[in-house]
Amino acid sequence: MFNRLFSLAVNTFKESIRDRVLVALVVIAVVVMASAKIVQPVAMGEAEKIIKDLGLSAITLFCVLIAILVGGRLVYREVEKRTIYLILARPVRRLEFILGKYLGLMMVLVVSLVVMTAGFYGVMLISRVPVSLYLIWSVVMTLFELAILTAVAVLFSTFVSPIASAVFTFMIYFIGHSTPLLKQLAGMFPSPVIKFFALFAYYILPNLNNFNIKGEVVHNIPLNFPGLLLSAGYAVVYSATLLMISVVIFNRRDF
Amino acid sequence: MSFSQRPVIEAVRLTKVYRTGFRMRRIQALVDLNLNVEKGEIFGFLGPNGAGKTTAIKVFVGLVTPDSGTAYVLGRSPKDHRVKRRIGFLPESPYFYDYLTAEEFLLLSAQLSGIPRNEIKPRVKEMLKMVRMDYAAHLQMRGFSRGMLQRIGIAQALLYDPDVVILDEPMGGLDPVGRKEFRDIIISLKERGKTVFFSTHILADVEIICDRVGIIIAGRMVKSGRLDEILTAEVESIEVTIKGATGKFRKALERVSLRVIESGDLIMLTVKNEDDVERVLAIAREASARVTAIVPRTKTLEDYFMSQLKTAGVQ
Ligand SMILES: Nc1ncnc2c1ncn2[C@@H]1O[C@H](COP(=O)(O)OP(=O)(O)OP(=O)(O)O)[C@@H](O)[C@H]1O
Ligand SMILES: [Mg+2]
């Protein structure tokens, strides 16, 4: 089982690495980070914070784009191009197929994060900004957020087209970052129906705010590590649940 | 009937309905399909476009679940991993990961089939050589022609040395040399006791190598059996060609014939049986015309196929 999982993950990794979209996104991310150097003269004192903030934001944004764009066609493309026949006719469980695809994309995201972070530190060194390893914590939390988003994208890609999947995943990303709003919304409306749906959405959609600690790390505010650990655990459980749902959907399908 | 050995592939009243489009239109792809393929046989699965061949094959390799009826391969469900390990499958016009090289793809296939790690490399090399693709082992498959893809498809199907080989239109895209090589591969599989099941529209391929054939039309198995049973070697008609018969002799000849085709001073007569041939020869001798050819016509698979298509109302 683990051999097969590993082979499938490595294959997905190769697929993405040999894809121009991925390479382009990583390159653009680094370019964006470097562009912070241009705004430097505008505000001398703020330069450090702008570079750090922009860098971390770019890392998150572009990795989220990779998760959504590459993840959204991960399974769909195999079905559409019929490459899946040759995999599923072999002694491979559909569960292994989904997990393999997911883990492969996570491998891609880890590598992208590492490359972008290296680029980020490069930009900081060139800009003579004091370099701090504390910033890495933000990247680590981004990885957990990506774990959830990739699972969302994979779930969608088992039954809708890549474009629809990208749109839906992006919506979930967007709402996931405004879940407190949903709770407020639930409190604001007297209508029980709206209240119900707002609360339902609040509990069922991933709460992605917990993974955003850019403000803290940029401003050197102490982190709540037990809280972060909890968020990491949440990410693992949430992703696993989504993947199981994907497998259930996938198991019922004909090809 | 012997119960000691179950068929290698067995379909019992398979039914499959696809629903497509916005209005969920029903397409009945398989209708009560029954089929048996015995061990060591080469079985040809024949049918026109859209007859349901691919659907049936997908059931046999566990990609499609029938709505009703059951399929057994090697006595078990096609979804059973112990079965999948012993099946080699070539899909219809196969697509591959075009970002992989031929060798990378076969390595992946081998890993997924559970071939012991130390046997993988030599086995992949051997397969590439067998389908004469060793020269392209390190090229990305995105540049491959249809025939090259088909060869890689055959290689990946035979990778695990499967006991059952299920091929959907294996000859598609192959050139004449490729077809000949492929037939040789199939025959060598049979010699090693393997069971081969393949679909095709090409009747000549079936006539040369198949032990038995099944004919599927509009989702139903209309006939299956040994080729020599389906095409009883019985002579359907006899063609006699005669040179230099004129006037009243020609009239007499036309009377005993089913059909007459004239070309210059040659006439080709089609007669029913040997007695009629004798009559024709007698008339010809009387007319001192020369008989240049007597050719018996047996039923070909093509004739049979066409007549089945006509009775099924497909055309
Ligand atoms: N995934 C699908 N969704 C909807 N209809 C399908 C699907 N696959 C096949 N069909 C329909 O089922 C019928 C049988 O198709 P199938 O592919 O099994 O035929 P076939 O005998 O393999 O034909 P060909 O010789 O052209 O390959 C056709 O009418 C086809 O339109
Ligand atoms: Mg077909």
Side-chain angles (χ1 to χ4, degrees):
Chain A
M1 151 124 193
F2 287 104
N3 279 342
R4 294 194 294 263
L5 211 53
F6 183 72
S7 304
L8 288 167
V10 168
N11 184 44
T12 305
F13 183 78
K14 275 187 195 161
E15 171 182 3
S16 309
I17 291 289
R18 293 178 191 178
D19 189 350
R20 279 186 213 98
V21 177
L22 176 81
V23 179
L25 285 173
V26 173
V27 170
I28 297 171
V30 175
V31 170
V32 168
M33 290 187 253
S35 72
K37 215 171 149 6
I38 302 164
V39 297
Q40 204 174 344
V42 180
M44 278 311 281
E46 289 291 291
E48 179 186 340
K49 293 209 169 89
I50 291 179
I51 288 177
K52 287 182 176 172
D53 211 39
L54 185 70
L56 290 175
S57 300
I59 289 174
T60 309
L61 177 70
F62 283 96
C63 284
V64 164
L65 280 179
I66 292 173
I68 290 178
L69 295 180
V70 179
R73 56 180 186 183
L74 214 52
V75 176
Y76 189 88
R77 188 152 84 165
E78 295 251 0
V79 177
E80 195 189 26
K81 292 202 160 186
R82 296 190 268 160
T83 46
I84 197 166
Y85 294 176
L86 293 169
I87 303 296
L88 292 187
R90 296 191 177 280
V92 174
R93 283 182 192 81
R94 294 186 181 187
L95 164 84
E96 292 165 353
F97 179 79
I98 296 279
L99 282 187
K101 292 256 107 181
Y102 177 77
L103 292 177
L105 184 49
M106 286 312 291
M107 277 159 61
V108 170
L109 287 167
V110 168
V111 170
S112 307
L113 278 176
V114 168
V115 172
M116 289 183 194
T117 307
F120 175 45
Y121 275 84
V123 169
M124 287 196 287
L125 283 175
I126 293 168
S127 318
R128 298 217 172 73
V129 164
V131 173
S132 133
L133 283 179
Y134 198 51
L135 300 171
I136 296 285
W137 289 112
S138 168
V139 178
V140 171
M141 291 319 283
T142 297
L143 179 63
F144 284 103
E145 179 174 358
L146 291 169
I148 294 183
L149 280 177
T150 304
V152 173
V154 167
L155 173 60
F156 282 130
S157 98
T158 55
F159 62 96
V160 294
S161 74
I163 292 174
S165 164
V167 171
F168 293 152
T169 312
F170 190 76
M171 272 163 53
I172 292 211
Y173 173 70
F174 188 74
I175 303 172
H177 273 286
S178 21
T179 46
L181 223 66
L182 284 172
K183 204 163 192 185
Q184 277 176 17
L185 207 68
M188 265 157 53
F189 283 90
S191 154
V193 178
I194 295 186
K195 191 173 269 175
F196 173 78
F197 278 110
L199 276 181
F200 183 73
Y202 175 73
Y203 286 112
I204 201 115
L205 293 177
N207 184 348
L208 299 177
N209 270 327
N210 299 340
F211 302 95
N212 182 4
I213 53 168
K214 293 189 194 66
E216 285 93 325
V217 296
V218 169
H219 294 95
N220 259 314
I221 298 167
L223 292 169
N224 166 17
F225 280 103
L228 293 185
L229 200 64
L230 202 65
S231 300
Y234 171 78
V236 172
V237 172
Y238 199 96
S239 314
T241 309
L242 291 185
L243 289 174
M244 285 311 123
I245 298 172
S246 312
V247 172
V248 169
I249 295 176
F250 206 58
N251 264 333
R252 300 161 53 109
R253 276 193 66 165
D254 278 341
F255 297 103
Chain B
M1 194 176 175
S2 147
F3 288 96
S4 60
Q5 201 167 33
R6 286 186 65 174
V8 170
I9 301 176
E10 199 178 355
V12 186
R13 306 198 57 177
L14 287 185
T15 301
K16 180 72 197 177
V17 176
Y18 286 112
R19 284 163 207 282
T20 57
F22 185 64
R23 297 175 55 195
M24 289 289 175
R25 207 164 61 85
R26 290 165 52 95
I27 296 174
Q28 182 114 33
L30 298 177
V31 189
D32 279 341
L33 183 98
N34 292 311
L35 177 137
N36 282 344
V37 179
E38 306 296 333
K39 185 173 187 313
E41 258 188 339
I42 302 179
F43 190 98
F45 196 32
L46 276 170
N49 290 127
K53 299 184 294 295
T54 299
T55 306
I57 285 179
K58 281 180 179 173
V59 171
F60 298 146
V61 296
L63 288 171
V64 160
T65 313
D67 296 327
S68 68
T70 333
Y72 302 95
V73 177
L74 296 161
R76 294 205 171 91
S77 155
K79 299 207 173 185
D80 190 319
H81 283 203
R82 286 168 293 183
V83 171
K84 287 190 173 188
R85 216 175 281 277
R86 294 171 61 195
I87 296 182
F89 169 52
L90 171 69
E92 186 173 20
S93 47
Y95 284 78
F96 303 99
Y97 299 111
D98 52 11
Y99 53 88
L100 292 184
T101 67
E103 189 179 32
E104 280 174 326
F105 172 70
L106 291 178
L107 290 174
L108 172 70
S109 305
Q111 286 156 3
L112 294 179
S113 309
I115 297 181
R117 194 176 294 223
N118 55 336
E119 291 172 24
I120 288 181
K121 277 239 155 138
R123 187 79 189 137
V124 165
K125 283 241 152 62
E126 186 190 330
M127 284 294 122
L128 280 168
K129 194 172 258 152
M130 184 190 77
V131 296
R132 297 190 200 285
M133 287 293 291
D134 31 357
Y135 71 95
H138 300 289
L139 299 179
Q140 273 194 12
M141 291 192 286
R142 73 175 80 244
F144 280 16
S145 72
R146 176 132 155 62
M148 288 165 84
L149 290 175
Q150 199 71 20
R151 284 163 187 262
I152 296 299
I154 292 165
Q156 65 82 34
L158 302 181
L159 205 49
Y160 194 81
D161 194 24
D163 296 327
V164 188
V165 184
I166 298 180
L167 311 159
D168 199 352
E169 289 181 36
M171 309 273 200
L174 292 183
D175 58 23
V177 178
R179 305 178 94 84
K180 164 87 174 70
E181 285 169 359
F182 174 77
R183 280 199 297 269
D184 293 345
I185 291 174
I186 296 280
I187 288 166
S188 78
L189 286 172
K190 181 191 159 80
E191 282 165 1
R192 288 169 45 224
K194 313 288 184 187
T195 308
V196 183
F197 178 90
F198 74 95
S199 78
T200 182
H201 324 108
I202 298 159
L203 301 161
D205 295 339
V206 175
E207 278 186 304
I208 296 171
I209 58 175
C210 286
D211 299 307
R212 285 199 309 142
V213 299
I215 297 177
I216 178 176
I217 293 172
R220 288 171 209 274
M221 193 66 124
V222 295
K223 184 92 188 177
S224 77
R226 298 179 54 89
L227 262 182
D228 49 5
E229 286 166 11
I230 291 184
L231 316 172
T232 40
E234 166 187 324
V235 175
E236 289 251 293
S237 59
I238 304 163
E239 286 168 6
V240 187
T241 313
I242 293 174
K243 194 173 183 178
T246 47
K248 63 170 184 178
F249 294 114
R250 178 167 299 207
K251 286 260 157 55
L253 285 172
E254 280 171 14
R255 242 171 279 133
V256 283
S257 306
L258 297 169
R259 202 167 40 152
V260 181
I261 299 172
E262 292 180 47
S263 134
D265 60 348
L266 280 181
I267 352 175
M268 195 178 86
L269 311 159
T270 306
V271 297
K272 210 163 56 218
N273 51 35
E274 281 163 18
D275 292 345
D276 286 346
V277 173
E278 284 306 324
R279 278 183 206 118
V280 167
L281 292 183
I283 298 166
R285 224 172 292 125
E286 210 177 317
S288 37
R290 191 181 301 165
V291 176
T292 57
I294 302 178
V295 183
R297 300 275 313 181
T298 52
K299 199 172 187 179
T300 64
L301 189 51
E302 191 154 351
D303 298 329
Y304 185 80
F305 196 54
M306 289 323 237
S307 70
Q308 285 294 330
L309 274 181
K310 277 208 191 84
T311 50
V314 184
Q315 197 81 57

